[in-house]
Amino acid sequence: MSCRSVLSFVKSLSRRKPLEPDGEESDFKRCLTTLDLVALGVGSTLGAGVYVLSGEVARTVSGPSIIISFFIAAVASVFAGLCYAEFGARVPKTGSAYLYSYVTVGEIWAFITGWNLLLSYIIGTSSVARAWSGTFDDLIGNAIANYLSKHTAMNLPGLAPYPDFFAAGLIMLLAGILAFGVKESAIVNKIFTAVNIVVLVFVIISGFIKGNLKNWQLTEEDIFNGSTSANSSAGNSTDELNYGTGGFFPFGFEGTLAGAATCFYAFVGFDCIATTGEEVKNPQKSIPVGIVASLLICFLAYFGVSAALTLMMPYYQLNVQSPLPVAFSYVGWEPAKYAVAVGSLCALSTSLLGAMFPMPRVLFAMARDGLLFKPLTNMSSRQSPVIATLSSGIVAAIMALVFDLKALVDMMSIGTLFAYTLVAICILILRYQEDPSEKKDKQKWSLLRPPSSPTSASSKVVSYLTILTIVLSIVLSVILTKGISLVTEWWMILIMTVTLLCFLIVIIVIWRQPQSRVKAAFMVPLLPVLPILSTFVNIYLMVQLDGNTWTRYAVWMAIGFFIYFAYGVWHSVQKKREKSPHRAQIETIDSQLEKADKDISFEPFPQTKM
């Protein structure tokens, strides 16, 4: 194989998909409204974590300052949400971050993004189904677990203690509903989401009625006396437990920041809205509104529940497993735990539906582009990707049936955070890329006097600086994670100072470059600061994960690369388009939007009859 052939093959891996490719028509039914998207985003994001996570983080990490932790996490999530919102307005097609990567940075990165999304959706679906099964089993006295542990025990490493037939059956039931039609699925989701919101409003109002502001002003003496009496009655020792120093920040502001890192994952799920681009009546408007509105509603819910919980009961007495039922028992409203149980099951149901909904759509998008197997593109008579839906449901059901998912849940975080990172990077590249439809003036690039409009040179500068941003984010994240104990050493202070200074210079240089003049229905504000901050937050959270998680992730990616290089790279539809003798002119996102703007501006007024 000649050197030229190798270079040509490597270059082909970065081929980009045009916004309106030849021969590609949407088979989906446009039937979803903005309300459907908001309900889908809220249902997917506001899962059972709202009933459990607040108690765990408040007791062990943040205390009453958990409400600030949720605020910081919400702001960080909004960074990623706004990037998704702009792409949803620019690229109203199914595929989410996979498609955004394909039209911006190229095919190989698109496949990696799609493969990561499939990882997070599969593990998310399986783990939520097992949580649903476990919650229901608790309500009936663990009858399912006791029977299956006795008769079908599996004592093998990596497998679950027993096969969870209930969870697998639940996944297949929802897969059938999704395969039946998107509108019917949206109706089911809205019903469960409405019940969940009603229960959460009841919890918040109850907490403020029965709460006591003194629980945010506890002293160390109050904590010692209360924890000693509680642990002595339960037969526990207080030596191993750390309840902090009391007050609103019992674990210091460091505890609040640590809590924010955990709470960030509570806002994961809104990206499922971005996969509905070909099923929404008005995607340019509905997708940005749906993403921002769902994140706002979720923040208000998390903020209100955590505030109510820490007002009802001292944070150091919260139950980690079931904080809300114990808190209601503490204030004398024990029957309220049944409302919490109903809300928890509804939240798990919407979260499960939200995890399953985007999975077949990403599969469909990848198969339509030839990167995965062609049968996955088959549509039902009700315009639903039936084969992709049932296939993904079967895989997730098998995972829930036999595997121990506790060790795999962190892999889900890598897939989601990687997608968030790449979307933020794509926004930076997209907003500063050269517009081929404009007349190319020969403007030389200069650091002090950049050109007035994007050129090939300025676009390359932004691309190289974006790569440098990723490197600096990794360095800074490793320092903050692994080297924080050495922060008093002079050389560590020097490294941090140089890194931060380079960060500032990169941001200033990118900010000085000309942006594309084409406008979209929604655009990310505060460029380039906001996408760069989103990139840093995501990389920082990925660095927090342990080595075993990264090893399992490497195995998953090895499987993906085998599929891509054995099948996808040879069956790529975009490869066939580029080799076609009647190859059409490729249109970028910006040129397509600019053409749409001109069509609108010159559209004649409709004539009316008197």
Side-chain angles (χ1 to χ4, degrees):
M1 199 173 189
S2 65
C3 183
R4 182 177 296 179
S5 300
V6 173
L7 290 175
S8 176
F9 177 75
V10 172
K11 187 177 180 180
S12 69
L13 299 181
S14 62
R15 52 180 166 246
R16 291 188 294 170
K17 180 180 179 180
L19 183 61
E20 294 291 343
D22 291 338
E24 183 176 290
E25 296 181 0
S26 177
D27 297 320
F28 288 93
K29 181 180 180 181
R30 291 197 179 273
C31 58
L32 298 180
T33 63
T34 304
L35 180 61
D36 291 325
L37 296 194
V38 173
L40 182 63
V42 172
S44 178
T45 308
L46 202 63
V50 70
Y51 295 93
V52 179
L53 185 66
S54 299
E56 181 181 352
V57 175
R59 173 166 176 164
T60 60
V61 182
S62 299
S65 68
I66 185 177
I67 61 174
I68 298 179
S69 297
F70 272 118
F71 176 74
I72 297 172
V75 171
S77 299
V78 165
F79 294 162
L82 292 176
C83 295
Y84 269 88
E86 176 168 341
F87 263 121
R90 288 179 180 269
V91 191
K93 298 233 175 196
T94 192
S96 184
Y98 157 75
L99 181 63
Y100 306 159
S101 306
Y102 208 162
V103 299
T104 308
V105 292
E107 186 174 282
I108 183 66
W109 290 107
F111 182 87
I112 293 172
T113 305
W115 196 244
N116 275 278
L117 287 174
L118 292 176
L119 169 70
S120 60
Y121 293 147
I122 289 171
I123 297 179
T125 298
S126 305
S127 57
V128 173
R130 287 192 76 103
W132 206 108
S133 174
T135 303
F136 179 76
D137 199 21
D138 287 339
L139 295 177
I140 59 175
N142 294 317
I144 298 175
N146 293 335
Y147 180 82
L148 293 177
S149 298
K150 184 177 180 181
H151 294 87
T152 60
M154 298 187 299
N155 298 317
L156 293 173
L159 298 183
Y162 58 86
D164 197 333
F165 296 103
F166 189 90
L170 186 64
I171 290 175
M172 293 311 301
L173 174 64
L174 281 181
I177 295 174
L178 286 170
F180 185 73
V182 63
K183 191 62 180 177
E184 292 75 13
S185 307
I187 292 171
V188 172
N189 180 70
K190 279 191 286 190
I191 293 172
F192 282 124
T193 301
V195 175
N196 185 25
I197 292 294
V198 169
V199 172
L200 292 178
V201 170
F202 164 73
V203 169
I204 294 170
I205 294 174
S206 303
F208 284 108
I209 291 174
K210 299 294 291 184
N212 189 345
L213 201 58
K214 289 183 179 179
N215 288 326
W216 285 5
Q217 302 167 344
L218 299 170
T219 63
E220 286 190 74
E221 185 178 355
D222 295 331
I223 296 172
F224 179 78
N225 293 335
S227 60
T228 301
S229 59
N231 284 294
S232 60
S233 61
N236 298 327
S237 171
T238 60
D239 296 336
E240 300 177 358
L241 302 175
N242 177 24
Y243 296 120
T245 58
F248 189 73
F249 296 93
F251 301 96
F253 195 69
E254 296 84 358
T256 305
L257 290 177
T262 304
C263 294
F264 178 86
Y265 295 108
F267 293 93
V268 168
F270 66 84
D271 54 305
C272 67
I273 295 175
T275 63
T276 63
E278 294 179 34
E279 297 164 279
V280 189
K281 294 178 180 178
N282 185 3
Q284 282 90 349
K285 175 186 175 184
S286 296
I287 290 179
V289 172
I291 290 174
V292 175
S294 60
L295 282 174
L296 177 61
I297 292 171
C298 291
F299 163 67
L300 294 175
Y302 281 121
F303 185 92
V305 169
S306 56
L309 190 61
T310 51
L311 284 171
M312 278 197 291
M313 192 175 184
Y315 72 89
Y316 61 88
Q317 293 182 4
L318 291 172
N319 186 285
V320 175
Q321 302 296 330
S322 52
L324 284 173
V326 173
F328 277 115
S329 298
Y330 183 84
V331 297
W333 284 16
E334 193 165 350
K337 67 182 181 182
Y338 297 108
V340 172
V342 171
S344 181
L345 287 177
C346 288
L348 283 167
S349 301
T350 57
S351 184
L352 181 59
L353 194 64
M356 291 185 66
F357 185 88
M359 185 163 44
R361 281 147 183 83
V362 174
L363 269 177
F364 174 88
M366 296 177 74
R368 183 170 63 181
D369 292 330
L371 305 187
L372 288 179
F373 311 110
K374 188 68 175 177
L376 294 171
T377 60
N378 290 347
M379 301 287 284
S380 69
S381 59
R382 301 180 66 87
Q383 296 175 285
S384 173
V386 60
I387 300 297
T389 302
L390 295 178
S391 301
S392 57
I394 290 171
V395 173
I398 293 172
M399 292 281 292
L401 184 68
V402 298
F403 285 101
D404 180 13
L405 297 173
K406 292 180 180 177
L408 302 178
V409 167
D410 283 343
M411 285 175 62
M412 178 179 68
S413 304
I414 295 180
T416 304
L417 292 171
F418 184 89
Y420 286 3
T421 303
L422 204 56
V423 169
I425 291 168
C426 288
I427 284 291
L428 271 180
I429 295 174
L430 175 66
R431 291 279 288 274
Y432 290 96
Q433 76 177 7
E434 181 185 20
D435 186 1
S437 64
E438 287 189 359
K439 293 182 179 179
K440 296 183 180 180
D441 299 327
K442 293 183 178 180
Q443 303 180 64
K444 290 185 177 181
W445 184 85
S446 170
L447 180 63
L448 298 178
R449 298 187 65 183
S452 58
S453 60
T455 63
S456 177
S458 67
S459 298
K460 286 181 180 179
V461 168
V462 173
S463 298
Y464 293 143
L465 290 178
T466 301
I467 296 172
L468 181 59
T469 299
I470 297 170
V471 174
L472 292 173
S473 297
I474 294 172
V475 171
L476 192 58
S477 299
V478 171
I479 291 174
L480 294 176
T481 304
K482 310 297 182 183
I484 196 67
S485 58
L486 302 173
V487 75
T488 55
E489 301 289 339
W490 68 269
W491 53 271
M492 181 59 72
I493 296 175
L494 179 63
I495 293 175
M496 290 185 65
T497 304
V498 171
T499 305
L500 290 172
L501 186 61
C502 290
F503 239 128
L504 182 61
I505 293 172
V506 166
I507 291 173
I508 292 174
V509 174
I510 295 178
W511 172 68
R512 290 274 296 154
Q513 304 312 305
Q515 293 187 33
S516 174
R517 297 172 183 173
V518 180
K519 303 299 179 183
F522 178 85
M523 300 180 72
V524 175
L526 301 177
L527 222 68
V529 175
L530 202 148
I532 290 177
L533 278 177
S534 178
T535 301
F536 170 72
V537 169
N538 299 327
I539 291 176
Y540 174 78
L541 291 173
M542 282 193 280
V543 170
Q544 306 293 311
L545 301 172
D546 59 32
N548 291 332
T549 301
W550 283 100
T551 302
R552 298 187 193 100
Y553 174 73
V555 173
W556 171 260
M557 289 308 303
I559 297 171
F561 282 131
F562 175 78
I563 294 174
Y564 175 71
F565 287 108
Y567 179 88
V569 73
W570 309 110
H571 294 81
S572 170
V573 175
Q574 185 56 31
K575 176 185 177 182
K576 297 174 183 176
R577 288 194 195 104
E578 292 181 355
K579 287 186 175 181
S580 172
H582 303 290
R583 182 181 171 189
Q585 183 181 359
I586 293 178
E587 292 182 294
T588 62
I589 300 173
D590 286 347
S591 60
Q592 182 74 15
L593 286 170
E594 188 173 16
K595 183 190 292 184
D597 289 342
K598 290 179 180 178
D599 291 343
I600 293 171
S601 60
F602 290 106
E603 183 180 357
F605 291 105
Q607 294 181 353
T608 57
K609 290 183 179 181
M610 292 296 293

